[in-house]
Amino acid sequence: MTPGGGSGPMKDCEYSQISTHSSSSPMESPHKKKKSVPKRKWEVFPGRNKFFCNGRIMMARQTGVFYLTLVLILVTSGLFFAFDCPYLSEKITPAIPAIGGILFFFVMGTLLRTSFSDPGVLPRATPDEAADLERQIDIANGSSSGGYRPPPRTKEVIINGQTVKLKYCFTCKIFRPPRASHCSLCDNCVERFDHHCPWVGNCVGKRNYRFFYMFILSLSFLTVFIFAFVITHVILRSQQTGFLNALKDSPASVLEAVVCFFSVWSIVGLSGFHTYLISSNQTTNEDIKGSWSNKRGKENYNPYSYGNIFTNCCAALCGPLSPSLIDRRGFIQPDTPQLAGPSNGITMYGATQSQSNMCDQDQCIQSTKFVLQAAATPLLQSEPSITSEELPLPGKTSISGPCATLTLGQPTPPSSMPNLTSDSGLTDIIPLKEEHEGHQFLTPEEAPSPPGMLASGSPITHSHTMHVLSLASQDSLHEDSVRGLVKLSSV
């Protein structure tokens, strides 16, 4: 810097503030967590389902036939309301489009409810649960060798006097509950599994079976309704202009009639079949396999049937809807590592102020005791001692006895801090005259520094040690030392 102080390279220097929240701080790194966006469970769902609207909509992976179902219903109903209902409401009654609209919205509501809901998927076993179950099975079977897939394992339970076998699912690692089965298309175990319906794009199980049944039943009524009034429309027009002219005037009615004619039989037949299943409290899977058929034995019967058609229908259609067992919209809980405790000699980041003050106080007391042992001189018992007013100690009770003598050699710091207020503690610091007879005494200037003392420039020495030396200066200590040597030699 130049003598003028106004020019030179130091003129452009500026002070920059040091950030105390640096990300590279070694004290903050163990406690700092990476901000990660929490994932929902549907994003890592193990099955083959597709999810929409952040997991609110759950469907099977093959949804092409479902879109075909939507197109057929929407196109057929749209053509009916656009070309047939105006003529029918004018010639017959306005109630026809109203009834058709109610059936249409009911069909669409039940279809979407069946397609977009959880059919009753059973959650798979966790790795710990699967390992424990495999261990139990191996112990029960007496086999411990792995590497091959054992034959299907079953458990038998008794339901209403009927023996029911619970099969083990090798994919989900669970024993399936009664009436549950594993869907090969969705790759999930479904509770009260009925069948996988590609027309609705989902499995049909315990949680959506009633909506599926109401869908096919209402669709049967809608198909019959549209087909009947399309034929009525064509007949009324043919009476006025002829049959061929009626077909030319309303080509949409012809398309509607063809679609309804080829679909009404399958829809009505499916509705009748499921009406039979509901009345007997069976599922499609059980009926196809013949689980409760009399051909398997005279004593074989359906343990789930209430013995009454009305009661079976009420149980299937009016019973309480069971909640979903998979929390597909829940968040995945990551494994949070536990922070290890601080090692010896390292203060934990974020320690309280009282803890740091206690550490500083203990260090100050110990360093003050070293100074007292190094700077003390031998005094006879008849000589006046330094009182507590002359030599105070911060945070401790003042000394009320004679100062300790300094022996030849380097003193060793005590292992523990004595109590300065008791006489027993003073005897540790202030030895008697007899203990030092025959020893050579040194002045404070000649006394070596005790080991373990801090440098004079340290904060502890500056704040506490120098304060003690100012109260008992080196001149007074030297004078007391000479007086003690003279009296000792005279004795």
Side-chain angles (χ1 to χ4, degrees), residues 105 169 203 208 326 366 445 452:
F105 284 109
C169 180
C203 287
N208 62 351
I326 53 171
Q366 189 173 5
E445 292 82 355

Side-chain angles (χ1 to χ4, degrees), residues 205-278:
K206 183 178 181 179
R207 298 191 69 251
N208 62 351
Y209 180 79
R210 65 181 62 181
F211 302 105
F212 171 77
Y213 177 74
M214 289 187 288
F215 162 68
I216 58 176
L217 188 64
S218 59
L219 183 61
S220 301
F221 283 109
L222 179 62
T223 306
V224 172
F225 181 85
I226 292 177
F227 182 73
F229 282 100
V230 164
I231 298 299
T232 303
H233 180 206
V234 173
I235 292 175
L236 292 177
R237 281 189 176 273
S238 63
Q239 291 178 354
Q240 297 177 356
T241 59
F243 181 74
L244 295 178
N245 292 329
L247 296 179
K248 293 179 181 179
D249 294 340
S250 56
S253 300
V254 177
L255 180 61
E256 297 169 31
V258 171
V259 173
C260 291
F261 177 79
F262 286 102
S263 60
V264 67
W265 309 107
S266 59
I267 297 174
V268 172
L270 186 62
S271 300
F273 173 70
H274 280 278
T275 301
Y276 156 73
L277 294 178
I278 288 178

Side-chain angles (χ1 to χ4, degrees), residues 80-98:
F80 175 74
F81 290 118
F83 296 98
D84 297 306
C85 285
Y87 183 86
L88 294 173
S89 62
E90 181 182 357
K91 296 294 182 179
I92 301 177
T93 176
I96 295 177

Side-chain angles (χ1 to χ4, degrees), residues 84-240:
D84 297 306
C85 285
Y87 183 86
L88 294 173
S89 62
E90 181 182 357
K91 296 294 182 179
I92 301 177
T93 176
I96 295 177
I99 297 174
I102 294 174
L103 288 175
F104 171 75
F105 284 109
F106 191 83
V107 167
M108 293 301 299
T110 52
L111 172 62
L112 298 179
R113 183 65 175 82
T114 305
S115 304
F116 295 162
S117 62
D118 172 24
V121 176
L122 296 172
R124 300 190 181 188
T126 60
D128 295 337
E129 294 173 348
D132 184 67
L133 187 59
E134 290 286 347
R135 193 181 307 110
Q136 294 178 7
I137 293 174
D138 292 339
I139 294 175
N141 296 339
S143 61
S144 58
S145 61
Y148 72 99
R149 182 168 178 170
R153 293 163 284 188
T154 60
K155 284 185 177 181
E156 292 185 353
V157 295
I158 298 176
I159 300 177
N160 294 330
Q162 181 75 20
T163 302
V164 179
K165 290 184 179 181
L166 306 182
K167 293 184 179 180
Y168 179 79
C169 180
F170 291 94
T171 303
C172 301
K173 304 296 182 181
I174 60 173
F175 278 99
R176 291 193 290 261
R179 316 187 82 178
S181 182
H182 191 88
C183 178
S184 58
L185 297 177
C186 297
D187 198 21
N188 293 317
C189 280
V190 180
E191 192 174 9
R192 200 187 179 276
F193 178 76
D194 191 87
H195 69 288
H196 180 90
C197 183
W199 295 97
V200 300
N202 202 355
C203 287
V204 178
K206 183 178 181 179
R207 298 191 69 251
N208 62 351
Y209 180 79
R210 65 181 62 181
F211 302 105
F212 171 77
Y213 177 74
M214 289 187 288
F215 162 68
I216 58 176
L217 188 64
S218 59
L219 183 61
S220 301
F221 283 109
L222 179 62
T223 306
V224 172
F225 181 85
I226 292 177
F227 182 73
F229 282 100
V230 164
I231 298 299
T232 303
H233 180 206
V234 173
I235 292 175
L236 292 177
R237 281 189 176 273
S238 63
Q239 291 178 354
Q240 297 177 356

